[in-house]
């Protein structure tokens, strides 16, 4: 790890909490008072959650943080920050895990290490009247321990931890600067040049690109070859009935 580990992006606030209900709830409470972007890191969470309201386990020593920003444009552009966050996570983990860690990104919002899930991303918009005032980007990383697989839903990807897979043991407060710096880099790229370079970089790290996957939405199950993601971030599958763009789903390999 470089001596730059403690470098911090200019103009970004940092709040480190010993304990809170969840960093996403804390983000909603803090957002109206924030003058600019802010990271909120909690060493312990009592009511953490993941996508679709699912419980998110937070063993001691793991990373749970939320970044609050004012999104660059409207609702559609705001959703693309999940790809910015995934690239930042991939880069930060690569920096601390070393050259032998096999990292990839699973659509729509997970990061994999050696084929197991090490991190997840959750986006929530904050505002009223259909207007987004802030975007909360929640990030959880299994730095020290993998959650109990028995507590996960059937078919869910097996969890892994950074320490378990690589032997690297880094505290959440030390990991945060790596992630904040990487996010600031990709955010600047996104806001200067749009989604195209983010999409290209994401596809270069995509798990199972070109392979057959199963997408389960609330209404149906679709199987097809993972061809690409389109300009709106939807997964494009080549199916027996032709190409299908999937905007939201759980993906199974």
């Amino acid at each position: 790890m470089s001596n730059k580990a403690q470098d911090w992006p200019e103009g970004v606030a940092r709040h480190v909490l010993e304990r809170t209900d969840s960093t996403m709830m804390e983000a909603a409470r803090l957002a109206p008072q924030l003058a600019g972007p802010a990271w909120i890191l909690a060493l312990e969470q009592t009511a953490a959650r993941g996508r679709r309201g699912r419980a998110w386990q937070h063993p001691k020593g793991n990373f749970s943080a939320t970044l609050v920003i004012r999104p660059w444009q409207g609702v559609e552009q705001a959703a693309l920050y999940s790809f910015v966050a995934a690239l930042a996570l991939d880069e930060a983990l690569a920096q601390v895990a070393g050259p032998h860690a096999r990292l990839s990104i699973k659509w729509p919002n997970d990061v994999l290490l050696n084929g197991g899930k090490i991190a997840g991303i959750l986006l929530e918009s904050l505002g009223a009247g259909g207007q987004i005032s802030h975007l909360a980007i929640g990030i959880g990383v299994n730095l020290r321990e993998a959650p109990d697989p028995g507590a996960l839903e059937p078919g869910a990807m097996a969890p892994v931890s950074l320490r378990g897979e690589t032997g690297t043991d880094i505290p959440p407060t030390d990991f945060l600067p790596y992630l904040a710096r990487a996010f600031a880099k990709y955010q600047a790229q996104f806001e200067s040049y749009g989604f195209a370079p983010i999409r290209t970089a994401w596809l270069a790290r995509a798990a199972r690109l070109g392979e057959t996957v199963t997408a389960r939405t609330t209404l149906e199950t679709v199987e097809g070859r993972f061809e690409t993601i389109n300009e709106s971030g939807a997964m494009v599958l080549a199916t027996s009935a032709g190409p299908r763009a999937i905007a939201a789903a759980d993906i199974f390999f």
Side-chain angles (χ1 to χ4, degrees):
M1 300 177 201
S2 75
N3 292 327
K4 296 179 66 179
Q6 296 308 313
D7 287 357
W8 189 258
E10 187 176 349
V12 180
R14 170 170 34 181
H15 302 265
V16 178
L17 311 174
E18 286 292 328
R19 178 185 170 106
T20 190
D21 43 10
S22 87
T23 58
M24 295 296 275
M25 294 182 205
E26 190 69 27
R29 291 189 289 263
L30 272 180
Q33 310 159 34
L34 295 175
W39 281 95
I40 302 161
L41 171 68
L43 303 183
E44 182 182 354
Q45 291 188 110
T46 59
R49 66 187 190 281
R51 290 179 67 227
R52 301 183 183 176
R54 296 164 181 154
W56 178 271
Q57 296 182 60
H58 183 188
K60 188 174 178 60
N62 283 358
F63 180 91
S64 292
T66 295
L67 173 63
V68 187
I69 61 173
R70 290 187 181 275
W72 174 44
Q73 291 183 348
V75 175
E76 290 184 2
Q77 289 294 322
L80 298 177
Y81 278 97
S82 65
F83 297 92
V84 175
L87 286 173
L89 261 176
D90 178 272
E91 181 166 307
L93 285 165
Q95 288 175 339
V96 301
H100 302 298
R102 292 185 297 107
L103 289 160
S104 59
I105 303 174
K106 178 176 180 278
W107 188 92
N109 56 5
D110 294 336
V111 178
L112 310 182
L113 172 61
N114 298 341
K117 178 177 174 177
I118 188 173
I121 300 162
L122 175 67
L123 264 62
E124 289 185 355
S125 56
L126 306 174
Q131 299 297 312
I132 295 181
S133 62
H134 294 82
L135 183 68
I137 305 169
I139 294 175
V141 187
N142 303 328
L143 291 179
R144 185 165 291 175
E145 287 186 45
D148 176 12
L152 303 176
E153 62 181 296
M157 178 142 283
V160 298
S161 71
L162 181 68
R163 184 173 67 170
E165 293 297 311
T166 69
T168 299
D169 194 358
I170 182 171
T173 48
D174 288 356
F175 180 71
L176 179 58
Y178 286 97
L179 179 58
R181 200 166 53 247
F183 189 94
K185 183 184 87 171
Y186 285 110
Q187 180 183 12
Q189 188 180 84
F190 177 43
E191 295 180 0
S192 295
Y193 304 108
F195 185 53
I198 296 296
R199 176 175 175 265
T200 298
W202 191 96
L203 284 167
R205 296 159 174 80
R208 303 299 176 97
L209 188 66
E211 299 182 25
T212 298
V213 302
T214 300
R216 291 182 191 159
T217 72
T218 53
L219 299 175
E220 61 178 338
T221 297
V222 180
E223 186 175 283
R225 189 175 66 252
F226 179 15
E227 295 281 86
T228 189
I229 58 171
N230 65 19
E231 292 75 14
S232 66
M235 172 183 263
V236 179
L237 298 182
T239 75
S240 56
R244 283 284 306 274
I246 308 291
D250 288 323
I251 302 301
F252 299 86
F253 297 155

